[in-house]
């Protein structure tokens, strides 16, 4: 009898723990935000520039424009010099859209020198390609597709941003990089992280990516779960999240994103805003 009671007690504890984890994964963690800061400058400089990266918003029925208010507030609190968005605005544009409100919220993002965005695979699918460029322009972003953008700072430094088209549904082509002559820092933006193998050794100090969502699930002591979950996204098998130093010296950062896809849940992979000092 005592053994049965012990078994039932353990079963009840396990059941409550499972329910609690599921509730947290679906109702709590997807709406949290974490701030990750990184020092990535290659040389000492009196002018310290702050770049904020956001990625993979995946706006949908359970993550609407209203939820962007917290993101905008958190980003603006950093007083960034640059804001970069590395793609995937909507989760599935054919299922849910709120263009006016989404563009309006993103327009409240403030950066001293500019806001730059690139295309993700979700920015093509479901008819999103027809509105994405216009929305980002309304929100004050310079949208790059196989293009370079050189931005000058108040102290006379020039920062190069190269934005590539999406790999899965676009046609990425690295533009000529003659602009690198005389620039203080060179940044490459590409949505899918595993594609960096094509762009190593091209002179960029920092490569910013997203797409992987960090797998959205990271179970302690079972790292293979996160790896396999990230692989589901495609082109995120090797680099799943965080800061990497590539063989040729570049820093690659894979942002684990803010929204969710496939499953509206996160566990152990908080929605992320990344801050870089360059």
């Amino acid at each position: 009898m005592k053994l049965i009671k012990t078994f039932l007690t353990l079963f009840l504890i396990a059941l409550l723990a499972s329910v609690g984890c599921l509730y947290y994964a679906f109702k709590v963690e997807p709406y949290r935000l974490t701030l990750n800061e990184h020092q990535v400058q290659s040389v000492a400089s009196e002018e310290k520039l702050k770049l904020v990266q956001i990625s993979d918003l995946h706006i949908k029925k359970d993550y609407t424009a209203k939820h962007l208010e917290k993101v905008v507030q958190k980003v603006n609190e950093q007083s960034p010099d640059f804001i970069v968005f590395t793609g995937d605005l909507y989760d599935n544009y054919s299922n849910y859209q709120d263009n006016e409100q989404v563009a309006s919220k993103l327009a409240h993002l403030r950066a001293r020198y500019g806001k730059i965005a690139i295309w993700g695979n979700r920015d093509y699918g479901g008819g999103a390609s027809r509105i994405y460029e216009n929305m980002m322009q309304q929100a004050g972003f310079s949208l790059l597709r196989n293009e370079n953008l050189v931005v000058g700072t108040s102290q006379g430094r020039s920062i190069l941003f190269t934005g590539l088209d999406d790999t899965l549904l676009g046609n990425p082509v690295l533009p000529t990089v003659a602009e690198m002559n005389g620039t203080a820092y060179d940044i490459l933006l590409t949505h899918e992280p595993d594609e960096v193998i094509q762009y190593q050794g091209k002179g960029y100090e920092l490569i910013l990516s997203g797409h992987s969502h960090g797998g959205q699930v990271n179970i302690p002591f079972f790292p293979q779960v996160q790896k396999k979950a990230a692989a589901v996204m495609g082109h995120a098998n090797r680099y799943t999240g965080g800061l990497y130093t590539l063989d040729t010296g570049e820093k690659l950062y894979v942002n684990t994103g803010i929204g969710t896809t496939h499953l509206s849940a996160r566990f152990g992979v908080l929605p992320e805003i990344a801050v870089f000092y360059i």
Side-chain angles (χ1 to χ4, degrees):
M1 190 69 176
K2 185 178 180 180
L3 184 61
I4 293 175
K5 286 183 178 180
T6 301
F7 174 79
L8 289 175
T9 300
L10 292 175
F11 175 78
L12 182 59
I13 292 172
L15 180 61
L16 291 174
S18 298
V19 171
C21 286
L22 286 172
Y23 180 84
Y24 173 80
F26 281 89
K27 298 298 183 181
V28 179
E29 186 164 310
Y31 305 101
R32 297 180 62 192
L33 272 178
T34 188
L35 192 74
N36 294 319
E37 297 183 279
H38 305 275
Q39 299 276 351
V40 293
Q41 64 261 42
S42 56
V43 294
S45 172
E46 293 181 1
E47 183 184 24
K48 294 181 180 179
L49 298 174
K50 183 184 288 189
L51 183 152
V52 171
Q53 181 199 15
I54 56 175
S55 194
D56 298 270
L57 293 173
H58 286 258
I59 301 298
K60 52 184 174 176
K61 290 180 181 179
D62 56 14
Y63 197 88
T64 66
K66 180 69 176 176
H67 294 96
L68 292 179
E69 293 177 2
K70 184 177 180 180
V71 176
V72 170
Q73 179 183 352
K74 194 77 170 178
V75 170
N76 287 344
E77 285 174 356
Q78 309 313 309
S79 299
D81 294 298
F82 299 98
I83 296 173
V84 168
F85 175 60
T86 42
D88 281 6
L89 179 61
Y90 281 101
D91 187 57
N92 187 336
Y93 186 73
S94 63
N95 288 343
Y96 179 85
Q97 62 274 154
D98 187 5
N99 298 344
E100 184 177 345
Q101 286 299 313
V102 171
S104 176
K105 299 299 183 188
L106 294 179
H108 285 90
L109 288 167
R110 300 284 181 256
R112 183 181 183 187
Y113 296 120
K115 305 189 292 188
I116 301 102
I118 59 170
W119 291 74
N121 57 300
R122 300 285 175 154
D123 303 316
Y124 279 100
S129 60
R130 296 193 299 269
I131 54 86
Y132 180 61
E133 183 172 7
N134 185 53
M135 284 188 63
M136 297 312 289
Q137 288 175 349
Q138 287 183 39
F141 281 82
S142 297
L143 181 61
L144 304 181
R145 178 158 53 185
N146 302 329
E147 297 172 279
N148 295 324
L149 176 66
V150 177
V151 183
T153 71
S154 60
Q155 294 192 16
R157 298 173 71 198
S158 295
I159 310 298
L160 170 67
F161 294 89
T162 298
L164 295 179
D165 199 1
D166 179 68
T167 297
L168 291 173
L169 297 178
N171 181 32
V173 178
L174 190 69
T176 57
V177 288
E179 290 90 344
M180 279 186 179
N181 296 325
T183 53
Y185 205 79
D186 305 300
I187 302 169
L188 179 65
L189 312 175
T190 178
H191 184 65
E192 288 88 2
D194 283 1
E195 298 311 306
V196 298
I197 191 171
Q198 303 179 49
Y199 311 117
Q200 291 182 235
K202 303 296 185 181
Y204 295 96
E205 283 92 355
L206 179 64
I207 303 174
L208 299 179
S209 185
H211 183 64
S212 74
H213 293 244
Q216 290 184 196
V217 177
N218 182 16
I219 300 175
F221 310 112
F222 295 95
Q224 65 273 19
V225 174
Q226 183 181 26
K227 198 80 172 177
K228 289 180 179 179
V232 170
M233 310 299 175
H235 297 261
N237 299 326
R238 184 171 183 179
Y239 303 108
T240 57
L243 187 63
Y244 302 85
T245 300
L246 304 180
D247 294 338
T248 42
E250 302 95 332
K251 299 289 186 182
L252 164 67
Y253 194 80
V254 183
N255 192 298
T256 55
I258 288 175
T260 60
T261 190
H262 298 298
L263 191 67
S264 296
R266 282 180 177 264
F267 189 85
V269 187
L270 288 170
E272 171 186 25
I273 294 171
V275 179
F276 304 91
Y277 297 91
I278 61 175

